Amino acid sequence: MSKDGSLGYLTTRLQEAINWGRKNSLWPLPFGTSCCGIEMMATLAADYDMARFGAEAIRFSPRQADLLIVAGIINTKMAPVLKNVYDQMSDPKFVISMGACASSGGIFNVYSVLQGIDTMIPVDVYVPGCPPAPEGLLNALLQLQDKVARADTHSQRRMAEVAKGNLARL
Amino acid sequence: MDIRTPIPTNGGDWLARFGEAWKAQTDALKQKFGEGVEEVRLPPGYPTDVPVVYVRKGALIDVLRYLRSEPGFEYGFLADITATDEMSDPRFEVVYNLLSHSRLSRIRVKTRVRDSEEVPSATGLWAAANWAEREIFDMFGIRFAGHPDLRRILMDERWVGHPLRKDYPLKGYQIFTEPEEIKPELLGGSRPSAPHLELPSGITVEHDPDDLWSDSRMIVNIGPTHPAMHGALRMAAKLNGETIEDAYCSFGFTHRAKEKLGENRTYHQWIVYTDRLNYCSALVNNVTYAMAVEKLMGVEVPERAVWIRMIVSELARITDHLVCVGINAVDLGAFSYFLYGFHQREEAYTLIEKLCGARLTTSYTRIGGLMQDAPEGFEKEVKAWVNRTRKVVDEMDELLTGNKIWHQRTIGVGIFNKEDCLNFSYSGPNARAAGVDIDLRRDQPCMFYKNVEFDVPIAQNGDVFDRYAVRLEEIRQSLNIIAQCADRMKKGPIWSEDKRVRIPDKDVVFNTMEGLIHHFKFFMTGFEVPEGEVYSGFEAANGELGFYIVSKGAPRAHRMRIRGPSVYHYQGLTPMVRGEKIADMIAALGSINIIAGELDR
């Protein structure tokens, strides 16, 4: 589009156009369980405002979301629930593991805590911190946007393999 | 100073105030129950903060009933039930911490129990005992005779073993692939009282195999990932139309074994775990925990540290209340209200960051002092924040308190009256909203709460609106306290002079051998805490937060029990919402401010 508003031409590959759209309209499902959930709320509130990056449409239904933000501890009682939620999301789906508990168990190396959600579901971006500051989550979102634009997330790579016929459809 | 005897610090003329009365009370108990009372341990002879009465199992319920209602005792408030694993014969001790609201003193009742024996249940005396006893069964495997519903509570129902037993390994993971199923049998017990949903004439409905009671009542599962369930809570409700006829709650979805960690980390290391209890007000947890250990060791904290501790406690209370009322309003559709509160909270976090470098998980206190002094000009900044927040709170007040929709959604909803509150061990703003006039800051003053002026807001109806109003007023009172503290804070040391707990200064560590060794020993093995036990309760944002610590003289606690107010509040949710509409359950849940970290521990 030219500056005067008249239409010009923009050539791109269809897949890139789709990914551009995807990365700028991530719909998060906030799986906030503990302290990180509070910082995630702060990120969504006015001061940090995740809406600036096109990710303000919070959906608690896995059917309507494509970004799972796991914010907080997942223990052995919650792990099957998380797996269910992840399985119910439709492709392409992305996962941010926010905070030390979700990423590795953090300071809680104990009987009840899952030592990292990546033992259960694939994770695209990890956010360090206990809890991470809102800036950390925003940075993770930007990183994820880059990955989505490059079609480099777990879900997109699998979809590409399925399209090539190398992998069976789930 | 005899370091083996704990000195009641933090507001401390306890021994002088209660010593005689405790002696008289325990003598009266011995006389009344004779053989039933095995042993009485009194401070200062035995290192404990309140009298400990060992009771035989057979007499336990009688003693508790007597303590609860007998004039002169009136220990009507069940602060906590817990247990300890002694690894000897008899193996367990079940511990009842009682508080008297009228006399403002505490007592501890214990009973010894062997591995396979049952303890009589106290659910007939206090409804609050229900979940506490379930937790003991879950964590220690102690069975309670006469308990209505003795199931696991924190751990998954398929869990094998009892995690808080000393012989259960800290890293004994157990993984499950399927979530817990809903249990309709827990909801089918009593026949519904509300009128049956009438269908218009002429319409017939075929019998649905999922219709468990064949009367169109249905079970709805809410949570653990529902947006209104505040983190990770789950409720299964039996509905007649929109009315909740019965419900049961489950939790434990964020259980992080903090109590077990308390037995496996040194007292200093465990400070970080207190942050993650009620993470909306981590600073209060830090302060309460530090006070508990200091009380156990008899460590006095210098004046400046106490003033700073008071400021941060109130700061945490305000942020907690702002989150609570904000989220409660969001749940009921008032989104912008939440943004007002959250902005002010962000500013408070900036202040907290200046103190300790972290926003949420602060770890600011140390045993016997603080992590670091408040920065230059902190008082001024705090006071400026107080003035700004006063205006914002007034604005929030105008925005919502008179709103007609808000009134309709909150007034008369989720009523929990005074008797219910005492029966279910409600404390803090939730109890004060129902007219229970107790605030541990005023009634069991610790730190310098005696020296500052503040009011304790009380409401009468105990509905959602009252809980909201009490919280809003408490924010104002806390702002007043902060302003007074900031005025009266003087320069001075922030560390106790006690060598046992004080972390050596860096120049001493780097320049002297003794300092280096001291530093190494402090962080590698930790300091030893003299044998004894203490229950230290403080008015946290949500209610009475208590740490019951049993020390056997080691650098790690023998038992680290956390009394989280949320556990008792959440237990009251089912009776609170029975008969209400399902949308009102959301309002009620938001108003009692359950924080999962404190609930599941």
Side-chain angles (χ1 to χ4, degrees):
Chain A
M1 202 183 279
S2 327
K3 273 188 180 170
D4 61 359
S6 63
L7 272 177
Y9 293 97
L10 180 72
T11 54
T12 178
R13 281 154 63 193
L14 180 62
Q15 199 55 48
E16 279 177 14
I18 291 173
N19 283 340
W20 179 83
R22 269 182 191 147
K23 83 167 203 188
N24 288 312
S25 61
L26 292 167
W27 285 24
L29 187 160
F31 202 94
T33 56
S34 46
C35 334
C36 289
I38 302 290
E39 284 297 55
M40 183 172 59
M41 270 157 43
T43 320
L44 294 165
D47 284 67
Y48 290 94
D49 197 8
M50 207 138 102
R52 292 179 293 162
F53 307 100
E56 84 276 31
I58 300 297
R59 290 293 177 272
F60 284 91
S61 159
R63 307 278 186 212
Q64 298 165 2
D66 57 0
L67 167 60
L68 180 63
I69 304 179
V70 184
I73 177 241
I74 302 297
N75 71 2
T76 51
K77 198 170 178 181
M78 188 62 129
V81 179
L82 175 69
K83 181 89 172 87
N84 269 3
V85 168
Y86 178 77
D87 287 345
Q88 284 169 6
M89 289 168 69
S90 50
D91 275 327
K93 51 189 171 187
F94 318 110
V95 179
I96 289 179
S97 162
M98 179 180 181
C101 279
S103 303
S104 68
I107 55 174
F108 295 100
N109 190 357
V110 289
Y111 56 85
S112 62
V113 176
L114 200 64
Q115 298 299 301
I117 57 164
D118 47 9
T119 56
M120 208 94 186
I121 59 175
V123 176
D124 293 308
V125 182
Y126 298 87
V127 194
C130 188
E135 291 90 342
L137 184 58
L138 291 177
N139 183 41
L141 189 75
L142 294 176
Q143 300 251 359
L144 182 70
Q145 288 188 345
D146 282 352
K147 276 187 122 177
V148 173
R150 294 200 308 268
D152 197 20
T153 58
H154 284 282
S155 168
Q156 285 167 308
R157 284 206 300 263
R158 207 191 60 241
M159 282 167 74
E161 291 298 308
V162 170
K164 283 185 209 156
N166 296 340
L167 267 180
R169 198 173 283 277
L170 282 181
Chain B
M1 183 178 72
D2 176 11
I3 62 162
R4 298 199 67 79
T5 311
I7 300 164
T9 55
N10 304 322
D13 47 350
W14 275 42
L15 210 55
R17 267 169 70 198
F18 297 116
E20 289 297 307
W22 283 338
K23 184 97 186 44
Q25 281 185 350
T26 47
D27 285 348
L29 269 184
K30 267 193 260 182
Q31 201 149 30
K32 166 93 183 154
F33 291 96
E35 282 291 291
V37 176
E38 265 178 22
E39 192 185 346
V40 170
R41 292 180 176 177
L42 279 170
Y46 173 71
T48 170
D49 55 335
V50 296
V52 181
V53 184
Y54 281 86
V55 180
R56 284 190 205 287
K57 272 204 328 281
L60 175 68
I61 296 301
D62 290 334
V63 171
L64 288 176
R65 182 177 295 120
Y66 186 78
L67 284 173
R68 186 184 66 162
S69 39
E70 184 69 17
F73 291 90
E74 294 151 24
Y75 291 100
F77 184 81
L78 177 71
D80 199 20
I81 308 182
T82 184
T84 57
D85 184 357
E86 302 297 332
M87 288 300 275
S88 60
D89 189 50
R91 182 164 178 181
F92 301 108
E93 285 179 3
V94 182
V95 185
Y96 299 77
N97 277 307
L98 308 180
L99 167 69
S100 162
H101 277 180
S102 51
R103 306 179 57 256
L104 299 170
S105 77
R106 290 175 191 274
I107 199 167
R108 193 171 304 134
V109 177
K110 289 189 180 184
T111 187
R112 297 190 174 103
V113 54
R114 291 206 166 76
D115 204 342
S116 51
E117 284 178 337
E118 288 192 333
V119 185
S121 166
T123 41
L125 300 176
W126 291 281
N130 188 330
W131 281 15
E133 288 177 353
R134 272 178 70 188
E135 194 183 323
I136 294 172
F137 164 66
D138 190 359
M139 290 291 152
F140 292 93
I142 302 171
R143 302 194 74 88
F144 287 87
H147 191 283
D149 179 28
L150 199 62
R151 289 180 295 127
R152 284 191 182 273
I153 189 163
L154 284 173
M155 310 312 299
D156 195 285
E157 60 190 1
R158 291 155 289 186
W159 195 269
V160 181
H162 301 282
L164 273 181
R165 287 187 174 205
K166 291 281 180 193
D167 50 11
Y168 192 93
L170 179 65
K171 297 178 188 173
Y173 313 112
Q174 295 178 33
I175 307 286
F176 308 101
T177 49
E178 295 294 323
E180 274 186 346
E181 293 289 324
I182 292 272
K183 294 185 190 56
E185 67 272 14
L186 290 175
L187 300 170
S190 57
R191 290 305 294 175
S193 52
H196 189 283
L197 197 65
E198 294 291 335
L199 289 170
S201 60
I203 299 178
T204 52
V205 182
E206 278 181 37
H207 180 68
D208 178 355
D210 289 339
D211 187 352
L212 288 157
W213 297 281
S214 14
D215 55 5
S216 3
R217 282 159 174 80
M218 63 190 279
I219 295 182
V220 172
N221 172 53
I222 313 158
T225 62
H226 190 273
M229 294 309 277
H230 289 231
L233 318 176
R234 185 180 190 179
M235 176 185 247
K238 176 184 173 189
L239 300 184
N240 174 17
E242 275 192 66
T243 309
I244 298 177
E245 283 190 347
D246 205 353
Y248 74 89
C249 297
S250 51
F251 62 98
F253 294 97
T254 65
H255 178 60
R256 289 189 270 196
K258 294 186 192 99
E259 290 182 5
K260 184 89 175 172
L261 280 162
E263 300 167 9
N264 285 280
R265 299 281 185 270
T266 64
Y267 288 94
H268 173 74
Q269 285 172 330
W270 203 68
I271 293 171
V272 296
Y273 294 99
T274 61
D275 292 335
R276 290 147 184 92
L277 287 171
N278 180 351
Y279 33 75
C280 292
S281 54
L283 285 160
V284 176
N285 308 340
N286 294 160
V287 172
T288 314
Y289 171 64
M291 285 197 312
V293 182
E294 282 154 11
K295 201 164 160 186
L296 192 56
M297 300 183 74
V299 172
E300 290 283 355
V301 184
E303 200 172 309
R304 180 175 171 85
V306 176
W307 284 118
I308 296 179
R309 281 181 180 191
M310 278 174 72
I311 291 182
V312 297
S313 300
E314 297 309 317
L315 214 55
R317 193 182 317 279
I318 292 167
T319 52
D320 192 286
H321 285 352
L322 284 174
V323 174
C324 174
V325 296
I327 300 294
N328 197 5
V330 171
D331 286 348
L332 301 184
F335 190 74
S336 52
Y337 184 79
F338 154 85
L339 297 176
Y340 280 73
F342 255 59
H343 175 71
Q344 222 47 39
R345 211 186 61 122
E346 285 297 335
E347 290 198 2
Y349 277 164
T350 311
L351 287 174
I352 295 172
E353 256 180 323
K354 280 186 185 166
L355 278 178
C356 61
R359 287 157 51 87
L360 212 65
T361 43
T362 48
S363 304
Y364 183 50
T365 57
R366 295 288 180 268
I367 314 297
L370 297 169
M371 170 197 173
Q372 60 189 28
D373 203 350
E376 199 71 33
F378 183 71
E379 298 90 327
K380 258 189 208 154
E381 286 179 46
V382 163
K383 280 171 79 178
W385 177 81
V386 164
N387 289 333
R388 287 198 302 277
T389 309
R390 276 209 186 101
K391 284 193 196 109
V392 173
V393 171
D394 289 344
E395 246 177 298
M396 289 169 74
D397 202 355
E398 271 174 43
L399 195 62
L400 201 61
T401 311
N403 185 306
K404 201 173 167 189
I405 303 171
W406 180 249
H407 284 180
Q408 285 171 346
R409 288 301 308 273
T410 57
I411 293 178
V413 171
I415 294 178
F416 217 56
N417 62 27
K418 199 170 174 178
E419 287 73 42
D420 293 334
C421 282
L422 294 176
N423 197 14
F424 280 88
S425 289
Y426 267 43
S427 53
N430 296 341
R432 287 193 285 274
V436 181
D437 189 3
I438 188 98
D439 186 324
L440 297 182
R441 289 176 295 170
R442 180 196 64 193
D443 301 325
Q444 292 198 329
C446 52
M447 299 196 267
F448 294 141
Y449 278 104
K450 252 188 277 180
N451 306 5
V452 293
E453 279 181 23
F454 64 100
D455 294 329
V456 178
I458 302 285
Q460 293 304 328
N461 302 324
D463 57 5
V464 175
F465 185 82
D466 281 4
R467 288 193 277 269
Y468 157 79
V470 163
R471 281 206 166 80
L472 210 58
E473 185 54 34
E474 271 189 23
I475 294 178
R476 295 202 174 99
Q477 296 303 328
S478 292
L479 289 170
N480 290 347
I481 297 177
I482 293 181
Q484 292 175 53
C485 293
D487 278 338
R488 300 172 66 169
M489 208 162 95
K490 288 188 204 73
K491 288 247 173 295
I494 53 153
W495 270 103
S496 157
E497 285 304 318
D498 197 318
K499 282 276 190 299
R500 290 175 297 169
V501 294
R502 181 172 177 160
I503 299 174
D505 294 329
K506 281 286 177 282
D507 60 330
V508 181
V509 175
F510 293 140
N511 295 320
T512 66
M513 196 61 210
E514 295 77 21
L516 189 64
I517 293 169
H518 186 184
H519 184 269
F520 182 79
K521 287 289 280 179
F522 188 97
F523 286 101
M524 298 312 287
T525 55
F527 52 84
E528 287 174 0
V529 171
E531 201 169 318
E533 57 178 72
V534 73
Y535 175 87
S536 172
F538 179 58
E539 187 73 32
N542 254 347
E544 179 179 333
L545 174 69
F547 289 93
Y548 172 60
I549 307 175
V550 182
S551 167
K552 298 270 179 190
R556 292 171 173 79
H558 173 68
R559 175 83 173 98
M560 180 73 77
R561 163 70 181 171
I562 308 152
R563 191 263 186 215
S566 287
V567 184
Y568 295 94
H569 295 166
Y570 192 40
Q571 187 175 4
L573 183 66
T574 307
M576 191 187 288
V577 300
R578 200 173 280 144
E580 303 251 1
K581 296 273 188 289
I582 192 158
D584 294 339
M585 187 278 283
I586 303 296
L589 178 68
S591 72
I592 53 175
N593 195 23
I594 308 293
I595 306 290
E598 186 181 67
L599 176 71
D600 296 338
R601 281 155 284 136

